[in-house]
Amino acid sequence: MKWPHRNTVLTLCVLAFFVTMAARLAISPVATLVIEEFRVSKSLLGLALSGMWLAYAVTQFPSGVLGSKYGERVVILAAVGGMSVFVVTLAISPMFPVFVLSCVLLGGFAGLHYPAATTLITRSFDEAGTVIGVHGFGAPLAGLATPVAVSWLGVRYGWRAAILSVAVVGVPIFALFYAR
């Protein structure tokens, strides 16, 4: 039996959801290291993270509109690609204002994923509830894996390498999504 294309779409959407969630979760486990390097308060880092989550929330609506206008695949590629770019800029930030801007833009791009992916997979399957549930599995999987991996990498190699590891995962997922 041949592997149906719709299963590929679902698998890639789960992977994309995993990495967009991982990017948002990767900062908190290394927060202390970021605070020490930039010599900022916990409140300032908290403000940066709040900006990231606000940008994530605000881009949910435009994601659906953009998906309808340009196609869900394009929006998902923008989400994973943009998120990967801003994970890199976050990791190489020379000063805290660049870090904050990178956080906000990372959140904005990551927020594009879910509405577009949900529309794409529900058009590919008859059982919408089941596939939305399977798609949602990417986020808790990231919630389980990211803090452990990023904490270990942060202690061993520093916070920059720890955060950069998300791009190491994101770029191949972008390439797979682009190719399939």
Side-chain angles (χ1 to χ4, degrees):
M1 184 169 150
K2 188 177 175 184
W3 175 267
H5 177 69
R6 66 187 188 165
N7 291 352
T8 301
V9 170
L10 179 58
T11 302
L12 292 174
C13 285
V14 170
L15 290 172
F17 199 20
F18 171 85
V19 77
T20 58
M21 180 60 80
R24 289 173 281 143
L25 296 173
I27 302 164
S28 294
V30 293
T32 306
L33 301 172
V34 173
I35 289 167
E36 287 173 9
E37 180 166 331
F38 288 123
R39 296 177 189 202
V40 295
S41 67
K42 292 176 185 175
S43 298
L44 282 176
L45 182 61
L47 194 60
L49 293 174
S50 294
M52 175 188 68
W53 286 102
L54 178 62
Y56 174 78
V58 168
T59 57
Q60 298 286 307
F61 175 73
S63 171
V65 173
L66 293 169
S68 294
K69 185 170 184 170
Y70 299 107
E72 293 84 11
R73 182 176 175 271
V74 171
V75 175
I76 297 166
L77 284 168
V80 176
M83 175 276 317
S84 295
V85 166
F86 289 106
V87 163
V88 172
T89 62
L90 196 63
I92 64 170
S93 296
M95 59 184 120
F96 193 67
V98 175
F99 182 91
V100 172
L101 181 61
S102 297
C103 271
V104 171
L105 291 171
L106 182 156
F109 276 96
L112 294 173
H113 169 79
Y114 190 80
T118 302
T119 303
L120 179 63
I121 60 177
T122 55
R123 276 195 295 104
S124 301
F125 287 85
D126 295 331
E127 307 264 337
T130 302
V131 295
I132 290 172
V134 171
H135 174 242
F137 185 69
L141 185 59
L144 287 168
T146 303
V148 174
V150 168
S151 295
W152 182 80
L153 289 168
V155 168
R156 187 150 179 112
Y157 301 106
W159 71 267
R160 293 177 186 274
I163 290 176
L164 193 58
S165 70
V166 176
V168 171
V169 176
V171 170
I173 291 171
F174 175 87
L176 279 171
F177 213 99
Y178 181 80
R180 299 287 174 188

